[in-house]
């Protein structure tokens, strides 16, 4: 039972991240050009240029770069060209169109009807100015009540207007500058996210190489054990023929052989999963690799370099700078903003007709200053200051926390090194003990159960050694990722 639990632990520890590959392989179109005898260095090169998650992250980077340019562009203002083509018989519109085109006349006000009434009065006065004046007094109300047809019922008119408008911020109390700095910092943050993802993919690719190497070594050792059991099976069969062994001995050996073959089958399947996951990481089908030494080399850890290169610390420091910018941004809310406006255009009932003669312009300035909004700006500023203090403490926490974590990993690696050395010695001893008990069985000194117990001990130590190497490698790769040293 202990042996089976140890085997399950090793299988799951070697494929913690690998078990997703079977599902992912059905949804991701992996290029079907198989790679054989692949080295770790070559695999890392392919992964950097071909990994799908890295490609997506780089697109995010590119979008942040465009956002930074958008923020920068706001400083230069906005220039719009507008072309309008209208037709209307609405009295207000037609009169307005004519005024815009500088073509309005007194006739457009209905003066023809007014002048007709005046002329009729003058004719009736027959040159008598007094009678004319008296007639105006008597008929003035009627004259003013005339509804001029030219004004109220104009003919439909076309209206073509071309307008060029430019609006530019002159003073924003530093808001646009801070927005530009923040978006640029967010672009840098996106680059750090890509670097962190790259570190993770280097970690996964390298660990998968070492996992495959460990599994291959495990399969080789299991193959030797199966061969030893088969030799023992032959010995038992021969001794049974001579009457020195029982049927139960043969059954025990057969059961142990079946168990070892089952473990070998699981290890082989686990190797297939590892190759599937490696193919997913590289987005290329991998057929075989060049195996590595099963113990990864230790990276050199320097405290100053750690605090300088660690990506989490870099992100925390950048976050602190962003909160500094956010404080300046909130301060700008207490100051006015000034903008300029300029417009130039021309209108007529025909497009681009007499453009210069009928052109117009408008220029202006606008100052906007919020004097009171319920102390909202004040509290937003205080909130930004508190956020800055919080992030400042987070930077210190990140520095100390990362160094503590590295020290913990270094201690655990030293412990694993000692465990591996001990288990290597134990495995060598267990192999020799098994061989000795096999000879004792042939001599009739030990039972087949004793032999198989010793063989089980050999297998148990082998599993423990494999687990210890796997755990050690994972911690080494984690340290490499933390100190941001790049490829292992």
């Amino acid at each position: 039972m202990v042996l089976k639990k140890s085997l399950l632990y090793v299988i799951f520890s070697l494929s913690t991240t690998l078990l997703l590959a079977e599902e992912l392989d059905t949804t991701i179109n992996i290029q079907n050009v198989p790679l054989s005898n692949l080295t770790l260095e070559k695999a890392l090169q392919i992964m950097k240029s071909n990994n799908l998650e890295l490609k997506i992250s780089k697109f995010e980077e590119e979008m942040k770069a465009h956002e930074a340019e958008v923020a920068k562009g706001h400083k230069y203002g906005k220039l719009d060209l507008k072309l309008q083509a209208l037709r209307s018989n609405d009295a207000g519109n037609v009169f307005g169109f004519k005024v815009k085109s500088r073509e309005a006349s007194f006739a457009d006000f209905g003066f023809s009807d007014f002048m007709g009434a005046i002329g009729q009065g003058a004719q009736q006065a027959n040159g008598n100015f007094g009678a004319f004046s008296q007639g105006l007094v008597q008929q003035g109300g009627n004259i003013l009540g005339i509804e001029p047809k030219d004004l109220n019922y104009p003919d439909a008119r076309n209206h073509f207007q071309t307008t060029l408008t430019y609006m530019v911020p002159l003073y924003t109390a530093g808001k646009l500058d801070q927005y530009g700095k923040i978006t640029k910092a967010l672009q840098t943050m996106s680059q750090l996210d890509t670097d962190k993802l790259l570190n993770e993919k280097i970690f996964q690719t390298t660990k998968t190489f070492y996992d495959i190497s460990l599994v291959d070594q495990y399969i080789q050792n299991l193959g030797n054990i199966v061969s030893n059991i088969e030799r023992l099976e032959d010995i038992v069969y021969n001794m049974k023929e001579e009457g020195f062994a029982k049927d139960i001995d043969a059954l025990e050996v057969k059961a142990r052989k079946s168990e070892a073959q089952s473990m070998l089958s699981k290890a082989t399947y686990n190797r297939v999963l590892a190759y599937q996951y490696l193919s997913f990481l590289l987005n290329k089908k991998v057929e075989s690799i060049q195996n590595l030494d099963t113990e990864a080399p230790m990276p050199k850890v320097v405290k100053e370099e750690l605090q300088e290169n660690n990506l989490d610390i870099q992100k925390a420091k950048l976050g602190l700078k962003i909160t500094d910018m956010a404080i300046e941004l909130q301060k700008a809310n207490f100051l006015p903003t000034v903008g300029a406006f300029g417009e130039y255009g021309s209108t007529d009932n025909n497009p681009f007709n007499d453009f210069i003669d009928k052109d117009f312009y408008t220029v202006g300035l606008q100052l906007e200053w919020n004097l009171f909004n319920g102390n909202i700006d004040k509290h937003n500023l205080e909130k930004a200051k508190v956020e800055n203090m919080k992030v400042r403490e987070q930077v210190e926490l990140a520095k100390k926390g990362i160094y503590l974590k590295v020290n913990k990993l270094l201690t655990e690696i030293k412990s694993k090194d000692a465990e591996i050395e001990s288990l290597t010695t134990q495995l060598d001893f267990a192999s020799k003990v098994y061989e000795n008990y096999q000879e004792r069985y042939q001599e009739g000194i030990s039972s087949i159960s004793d032999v198989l117990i010793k063989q089980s001990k050999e297998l148990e130590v082998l599993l423990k050694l494999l687990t210890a190497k796997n755990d050690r490698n994972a911690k080494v790769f984690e340290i490499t990722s933390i100190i941001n040293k790049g490829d292992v």
Side-chain angles (χ1 to χ4, degrees):
M1 181 62 70
V2 174
L3 191 60
K4 288 182 179 179
K5 287 182 178 179
S6 298
L7 173 62
L8 288 172
Y9 173 75
V10 170
I11 290 174
F12 280 108
S13 66
L14 284 174
S15 59
T16 302
T17 53
L18 308 182
L19 293 176
L20 292 173
E22 192 172 36
E23 228 178 283
L24 291 167
D25 195 45
T26 63
T27 57
I28 301 297
N29 181 25
I30 296 177
Q31 300 176 30
N32 291 319
V33 180
L35 299 170
S36 301
N37 202 28
L38 184 65
T39 64
L40 176 57
E41 293 74 20
K42 183 64 177 176
L44 291 173
Q45 289 176 9
I46 295 172
M47 180 274 295
K48 289 175 184 178
S49 62
N50 227 33
N51 182 267
L52 295 176
E53 290 180 77
L54 280 174
K55 288 181 179 180
I56 293 170
S57 185
K58 287 174 182 176
F59 284 133
E60 290 288 341
E61 249 186 78
E62 192 173 345
M63 286 190 290
K64 292 295 182 184
H66 288 302
E67 288 175 9
E69 291 300 317
V70 168
K72 181 180 177 182
H74 284 300
K75 296 197 303 185
Y76 303 110
K78 182 182 178 185
L79 179 65
D80 292 323
L81 174 66
K82 184 163 72 172
L83 301 174
Q84 287 180 299
L86 306 173
R87 182 175 177 80
S88 177
N89 70 345
D90 179 271
N93 286 341
V94 172
F95 184 73
F97 291 166
K98 289 187 176 182
V99 172
K100 278 278 222 177
S101 301
R102 307 184 190 278
E103 294 179 2
S105 64
F106 284 113
D108 295 317
F109 289 91
F111 268 73
S112 58
D113 293 329
F114 179 76
M115 293 302 294
I118 295 296
Q120 185 179 0
Q123 186 178 10
Q124 290 174 353
N126 197 21
N128 187 335
F129 183 74
F132 176 70
S133 299
Q134 186 178 1
L136 283 179
V137 172
Q138 292 173 350
Q139 299 297 324
N142 293 332
I143 293 174
L144 293 176
I146 294 173
E147 296 179 354
K149 184 179 179 182
D150 290 339
L151 181 62
N152 292 326
Y153 299 96
D155 293 333
R157 179 180 171 91
N158 295 328
H159 182 71
F160 296 93
Q161 178 168 318
T162 303
T163 310
L164 198 64
T165 306
Y166 182 54
M167 292 181 287
V168 61
L170 299 180
Y171 175 72
T172 61
K175 281 185 181 180
L176 290 180
D177 287 337
Q178 295 306 322
Y179 275 129
K181 290 178 182 178
I182 289 173
T183 53
K184 190 67 178 176
L186 291 175
Q187 179 191 352
T188 305
M189 186 74 79
S190 179
Q191 292 170 346
L192 290 176
D193 287 336
T194 300
D195 290 342
K196 189 170 177 61
L197 179 62
L198 175 60
N199 255 2
E200 181 183 341
K201 295 306 165 188
I202 291 173
F203 170 91
Q204 292 171 356
T205 303
T206 307
K207 186 176 184 302
T208 304
F209 256 75
Y210 277 88
D211 285 347
I212 292 172
S213 299
L214 277 171
V215 171
D216 283 344
Q217 185 187 69
Y218 177 57
I219 289 172
Q220 182 182 352
N221 289 334
L222 270 179
N224 293 336
I225 289 173
V226 170
S227 297
N228 290 337
I229 295 174
E230 288 174 345
R231 281 196 294 272
L232 179 61
E233 192 175 32
D234 290 339
I235 292 171
V236 171
Y237 178 78
N238 291 331
M239 291 180 67
K240 181 183 172 186
E241 289 289 318
E242 297 175 6
F244 294 108
K246 302 176 183 179
D247 289 339
I248 192 67
D249 293 348
L251 288 174
E252 281 191 61
V253 174
K254 186 176 181 180
R256 178 51 51 84
K257 178 183 175 182
S258 177
E259 183 181 357
Q261 287 175 334
S262 174
M263 294 167 67
L264 183 60
S265 175
K266 288 178 182 178
T268 303
Y269 178 68
N270 196 52
R271 184 178 183 273
V272 171
L273 285 178
Y275 270 106
Q276 287 179 349
Y277 186 61
L278 183 61
S279 298
F280 167 71
L281 288 172
L282 273 57
N283 197 28
K284 272 183 172 290
K285 186 171 180 60
V286 181
E287 197 170 70
S288 62
I289 67 167
Q290 288 186 16
N291 283 345
L292 305 167
D293 180 38
T294 54
E295 290 185 46
M298 269 292 298
K300 184 180 179 182
V301 179
V302 180
K303 184 176 180 179
E304 292 74 19
E305 291 181 2
L306 172 64
Q307 294 189 350
E308 174 119 5
N309 296 331
N310 178 261
L311 292 171
D312 288 321
I313 293 177
Q314 289 184 43
K315 288 179 68 175
K317 288 179 177 178
L318 183 58
L320 180 60
K321 291 180 180 178
I322 291 174
T323 60
D324 289 335
M325 299 170 197
I327 290 174
E328 296 302 316
L329 187 62
Q330 293 300 328
K331 286 180 180 179
N333 289 328
F334 294 91
L335 298 172
T337 58
V338 180
F341 168 89
E343 184 179 76
Y344 176 75
S346 181
T347 59
D348 194 24
N349 61 336
N350 293 306
F352 305 107
N353 185 47
D354 296 331
F355 193 94
I356 300 300
D357 292 337
K358 298 180 179 182
D359 67 347
F360 62 87
Y361 73 88
T362 306
V363 294
L365 293 173
Q366 176 178 293
L367 181 144
E368 186 176 356
W369 196 350
N370 176 258
L371 300 178
F372 179 72
N373 64 353
N375 285 330
I376 292 175
D377 292 337
K378 176 184 175 183
H379 290 296
N380 281 336
L381 176 59
E382 293 304 317
K383 178 184 174 183
K385 289 180 179 178
V386 173
E387 179 70 17
N388 179 263
M389 290 187 287
K390 183 188 82 170
V391 175
R392 196 174 299 276
E393 295 301 321
Q394 287 176 334
V395 171
E396 291 304 312
L397 178 62
K399 289 179 180 179
K400 293 179 180 179
I402 290 296
Y403 193 61
L404 178 63
K405 186 175 183 179
V406 168
N407 279 334
K408 178 175 178 290
L409 288 169
L410 287 171
T411 302
E412 290 173 346
I413 289 170
K414 289 178 182 177
S415 174
K416 287 295 175 184
D417 284 338
E419 183 181 353
I420 289 168
E421 185 178 354
S422 173
L423 288 170
T424 302
T425 303
Q426 290 179 46
L427 180 61
D428 184 56
F429 176 72
S431 298
K432 287 182 170 55
V433 168
Y434 167 73
E435 292 172 4
N436 179 262
Y437 267 75
Q438 182 175 295
E439 292 173 1
R440 286 164 62 93
Y441 173 73
Q442 288 179 269
E443 295 170 3
I445 301 174
S446 299
S447 68
I448 193 65
S449 295
D450 293 333
V451 177
L452 294 177
I453 287 171
K454 299 306 178 183
Q455 191 269 332
S456 294
K457 181 64 177 178
E458 179 187 5
L459 188 53
E460 181 183 343
V461 174
L462 174 62
L463 289 171
K464 286 182 178 179
L465 178 60
L466 182 68
T467 302
K469 286 183 176 182
N470 186 63
D471 290 345
R472 177 195 178 277
N473 287 344
K475 295 179 191 303
V476 170
F477 302 144
E478 189 173 355
I479 285 181
T480 304
S481 180
I482 289 173
I483 63 180
N484 192 24
K485 282 287 189 179
D487 302 354
V488 176

